[in-house]
Amino acid sequence: MSRAVTVTALAGAAWVAKRALRKRIGRSPLWPLPALETPLSGYSPRRWIRTRIVSRTRPAEGVLQLTLESADLPPWTPGAHVDVTLPSGLVRQYSLCGDPAEAGRYTLAIRLVEDGRGGSREAHALLVEGAELAVRPPRNRFELAPAPRYAFVAGGIGITPVLPMLRAATDAGAEWTLLYGGRSRASMPFLAELEAHGERVTVVAEDESGLPDLAPLAALAPGTLVYCCGPDPLMRAVAEAAPAGVPVHVERFTPAAPAGAAKPFTVELRRSGRLVEVGAAETTLAAVRRELPDTPYSCEQGFCGTCQHRVLAGSVDHRDELLTDGEREDSMLLCVSRASSERLVLDA
C-alpha cells in the first residue's frame, strides 16, 4: 500500500472515530464527563481554572480564609459561588466573599464541620499557601436585585455571600440593615470589618443573647428585599417572619427539604437492560450505583452536576440547585432528585 493511500485511510478512520465519539457523548451526558449545557454564567461547567493560593488566614475559630489568584479568573457579582476541586477529587461549593473589583482574585471562607462529609476537614488540612487549586467559573443563583432598601440576615458562615452584597448596596446608596447571628463571637468571621458599618449591623452571639429576634422583620416597608443565608431553620424562620409582599431570597448549600414523604420507584437502565428499585429512604444515585458502581458523583448535594444523567421517560421531582429549566426537560441529578412517577427510564 502506498504512503498516500495509507494516510488517506488513517484520516478516514480518524474522521469516523470522531463522528462516533460525538454521537456517543450526545447519547449519554455522563460519558466521559457530564455534558452540561452552558449555564447562566455563560461559562462552560467543563472548564476548570487553575489558581494559586496566595493567602491563608483564620478570621475566626474553625474558619479558614483563602485568597486565590489567576489571570484567567472571570469577573463575578455579589452572591456568586464557585465549585472547588479538593486534592482528593471531591467537589465542594463556596461563596465568594471578597471584592468583585479585584480582578484575578477570589476570596473564600470555609467553616470546619467536624461531623460533615469530609470536604471541610480536607480543605483545612491540605489547602496551604502556595498550593494550586482548581475552580470552576462562578455561578450566581443568589443575585442581588436592585432595591431602595434591603434587610440582610446571616447565620454563621452564611455571612460569606452577604459581605459583597453589603458593599454593593452601600455603593448604590441603598438603605440596609444586617442581622448576623452565630454560636459565639469567636466563631463569627469578619466582625472587625462589619464594625465599620455601625448601627446598620446587629450581631447576636447565641452564647450571650440566645437566638436572633426576627420580629422586626414583620415591620419591613414595601419595596424592601430580604436576603438570608445560613442554616435551614434560620432561613425558614426568616421566610415566615417577613410580611406578605416582601420577597425573601435565600442561599442554601444543602438540598431543600422535600415537600412530602419520599416514595419508592423503579428505574430502568435502558442501555444496561436492568431494573433498579429505589427505596423511600435511599437516593437514586445510591440505587443506580448498586448496579453500575462506576457511575460518577461528587458533592451528593445537588450542586456540582457530576451525577447529571439523561432521562428518556418518566417524570422527575427535581430537588437540585443547578440545572436550568431546559436541562430539566431531559436530565436529572441522581444524588438528590427522584421520580414523581412510578418509573423512570435513564440512558445508562
Side-chain angles (χ1 to χ4, degrees), residues 151-339:
F152 298 104
V153 182
I157 201 64
I159 190 64
T160 50
V162 173
L163 270 184
M165 291 183 175
L166 303 182
R167 302 186 192 106
T170 301
D171 291 343
E175 299 177 12
W176 62 265
T177 60
L178 167 65
L179 177 60
Y180 179 23
R183 295 191 307 274
S184 66
R185 289 178 180 270
S187 69
M188 299 168 69
F190 310 118
L191 288 180
E193 180 176 341
L194 293 171
E195 285 180 0
H197 296 294
E199 294 183 354
R200 285 181 168 186
V201 177
T202 301
V203 175
V204 180
E206 188 174 343
D207 62 349
E208 299 174 2
S209 309
L211 297 176
D213 180 13
L214 301 180
L217 294 178
L220 291 176
T224 304
L225 297 185
V226 179
Y227 281 80
C228 178
C229 184
D232 275 344
L234 174 65
M235 292 191 289
R236 290 195 298 268
V238 168
E240 293 173 0
V246 172
V248 177
H249 303 265
V250 299
E251 171 83 320
R252 65 178 72 248
F253 284 97
T254 58
K263 298 180 180 180
F265 58 97
T266 301
V267 171
E268 176 188 344
L269 306 176
R270 177 62 57 85
R271 284 185 287 111
S272 303
R274 307 179 190 182
L275 292 179
V276 177
E277 299 300 325
V278 183
E282 67 177 339
T283 65
T284 310
L285 175 65
V288 169
R289 281 178 58 83
R290 285 201 302 271
E291 294 292 330
L292 302 177
D294 292 334
T295 301
Y297 70 99
S298 183
C299 76
E300 298 184 82
Q301 299 288 309
F303 295 106
C304 74
T306 305
C307 66
Q308 182 178 356
H309 216 94
R310 187 180 179 196
V311 178
L312 302 178
S315 299
V316 179
D317 175 13
H318 292 284
R319 301 180 181 180
D320 65 273
E321 299 287 340
L322 174 68
L323 300 183
T324 64
D325 289 342
E327 291 167 337
R328 289 182 174 185
E329 291 179 359
D330 62 0
S331 66
M332 66 182 289
L333 298 191
L334 302 182
C335 64
V336 293
S337 297
R338 304 179 63 81

Side-chain angles (χ1 to χ4, degrees), residues 15-25 27:
W15 179 84
V16 171
K18 184 176 181 180
R19 184 179 181 185
L21 179 60
R22 286 176 177 172
K23 289 183 177 180
R24 179 64 179 80
I25 294 174
R27 289 197 305 269

Side-chain angles (χ1 to χ4, degrees), residues 2 9-10 18 38 41 43 53 68 70-71 81 84 93 124 128 168 170 221 269 305 311 338 341:
S2 68
L10 290 174
K18 184 176 181 180
T38 301
S41 67
Y43 300 99
I53 300 173
L68 318 177
S70 170
H81 69 270
V84 173
Q93 294 71 41
H124 277 244
V128 298
T170 301
L269 306 176
V311 178
R338 304 179 63 81
S341 56

